[in-house]
Amino acid sequence: LDMEPISVNLNRQIFGFLDIEDAVSSIVGLIKLDAKNWKPVYNTGIGKGYTLKEMIETIQEVFAERGKDFPEVTYNDDDAVGNTSVDYNLLEADTGFRPEMDIKSSVIAILEQMEA
């Protein structure tokens, strides 16, 4: 991070999240399933979403736990509404897939890779 201030528009949007490791696991689960048993559409996600504020606060928390600096964050009001989070229940029923990485685990993994 270049430590430039971050400006976040707070609103009522909920953003879906899926770590790449879980995305790969969900695809591998489908590959192992006989394609003739596939449903027309599967969703993959963690079954919940995060607001922008929750995401920023989680990232700040991980940085603080690791003694890393984080830029100043300012929040502005916005009236956007939406929800991109998705449910993985059908995929779980057919393949046994269950996501293992929440956003905090993902941020930690990213920082560990950057530090290696």
Side-chain angles (χ1 to χ4, degrees):
L1 295 172
D2 62 10
M3 298 307 291
E4 292 289 322
I6 297 172
S7 178
V8 177
N9 290 336
L10 288 183
N11 51 49
R12 292 177 288 153
Q13 289 183 298
I14 305 293
F15 294 90
F17 168 81
L18 183 65
D19 186 87
I20 188 67
E21 289 183 30
D22 283 334
V24 169
S25 293
S26 69
I27 293 168
V28 168
L30 278 174
I31 291 170
K32 291 180 178 179
L33 183 66
D34 187 341
K36 69 180 178 196
N37 295 323
W38 286 6
K39 306 291 188 296
V41 175
Y42 287 98
N43 289 325
T44 186
I46 64 171
K48 71 169 277 187
Y50 299 94
T51 66
L52 287 172
K53 189 169 186 180
E54 289 171 325
M55 288 188 279
I56 291 288
E57 288 174 346
T58 299
I59 295 166
Q60 287 174 313
E61 177 184 336
V62 171
F63 272 63
E65 288 172 357
R66 296 182 169 272
K68 295 192 171 293
D69 292 332
F70 195 82
E72 175 187 344
V73 178
T74 58
Y75 294 100
N76 308 300
D77 289 329
D78 186 2
D79 59 358
V81 177
N83 188 336
T84 64
S85 60
V86 294
D87 190 347
Y88 62 91
N89 291 334
L90 182 58
L91 188 62
E92 179 184 25
D94 285 1
T95 68
F97 166 78
R98 290 191 61 92
E100 297 181 5
M101 299 283 284
D102 63 5
I103 196 165
K104 184 173 183 178
S105 301
S106 185
V107 172
I108 291 169
I110 291 167
L111 284 179
E112 287 174 350
Q113 289 175 1
M114 290 174 62
E115 293 168 351

